[in-house]
Amino acid sequence: MRASDRAYATLLEEIQSGVLRPGAVLGEVEQAARLGVSRTPLREALGRLAADGLVAQQSPRVTVVTAIDAHDIREIFEVRRALEESAARLAAVRGDAATFADLARDFARVDLAGGGTDGYYALISRFDLALDASVANDYLTAALRTVRTHLVRVRRLARDNPGRLAASVAEHRLIAAAIAARDADLAAHATHVHLHNALTNILDSLDASRP
């Protein structure tokens, strides 16, 4: 792995996990020393993070982690809705029906009560990979990857809600089943409902966390 790729991966994980919080200052000299890279690869990594919208440059040598608030989240979901509804429609036409039928069955077997949260998120990753492969559109999947980069941060803001998780499992099962049935309209509509519910839950969590 190149030094710039290593620096990017480390900083990305730290921003997404909350180790580097919004407003954290990423001084060029300090970060290069901490990550064990020279300034050139660090600048490349920071440039990629800036392109992702995760950091912003305050001065020639000082970069800060960007904040994320309710307004940002709404904007992210506007883009996410357009991309994912289109992806669901395309997957229903181009995707492998058997793959999504298997995913629908796996979603039906998810046992959140038995500590299956990790398994559920792994299943979501499988679903996303299958969706990207089915779309067969590099521009669309690249845009989706950018949105998902931000969604990792957004999900950390939402409190664990067992009822919402259970509903999300059912929503994903319906989307996968609709794609497997080649029903593009239902796949897009089910995606729309899922994203509406997800956004509502996140914003409610933000409101509840305010003093």
Side-chain angles (χ1 to χ4, degrees), residues 149-164:
T149 296
H150 291 278
L151 287 175
V152 176
R153 298 178 79 195
V154 171
R155 289 190 185 109
R156 283 196 303 101
L157 301 176
R159 296 181 175 182
D160 288 337
N161 183 332
R164 175 60 204 144

Side-chain angles (χ1 to χ4, degrees), residues 114-128:
T117 306
D118 289 343
Y120 167 60
Y121 287 122
L123 188 53
I124 292 292
S125 295
R126 279 180 50 206
F127 175 84
D128 286 344

Side-chain angles (χ1 to χ4, degrees), residues 8-9 11 14 30 37 41 51 59 66-67 89 97 99 113 122 130 144 156 164-165 194:
Y8 172 81
L11 291 170
E14 290 176 345
E30 293 81 6
V37 299
S59 73
T66 55
R89 284 187 178 278
T99 296
L144 279 169
R156 283 196 303 101
R164 175 60 204 144
L165 283 174
H194 166 65

Side-chain angles (χ1 to χ4, degrees), residues 10-100:
T10 300
L11 291 170
L12 175 62
E13 193 281 328
E14 290 176 345
I15 291 170
Q16 289 180 326
S17 67
V19 172
L20 291 173
R21 301 182 65 79
V25 176
L26 305 179
E28 188 177 288
V29 174
E30 293 81 6
Q31 293 302 317
R34 183 176 73 89
L35 298 172
V37 299
S38 64
R39 293 189 196 180
T40 297
L42 177 68
R43 288 174 191 149
E44 292 177 7
L46 292 175
R48 290 173 62 185
L49 292 167
D52 291 337
L54 296 174
V55 303
Q57 195 170 33
Q58 282 194 338
S59 73
R61 297 189 184 281
V62 176
T63 302
V64 299
V65 178
T66 55
I68 187 165
D69 58 19
H71 176 74
D72 297 316
I73 293 169
R74 288 190 181 94
E75 289 190 340
I76 290 168
F77 268 78
E78 285 178 359
V79 178
R80 186 185 182 193
R81 185 176 297 121
L83 295 173
E84 292 197 7
E85 288 182 28
S86 294
R89 284 187 178 278
L90 290 172
V93 175
R94 302 173 181 173
D96 178 61
T99 296
F100 286 95

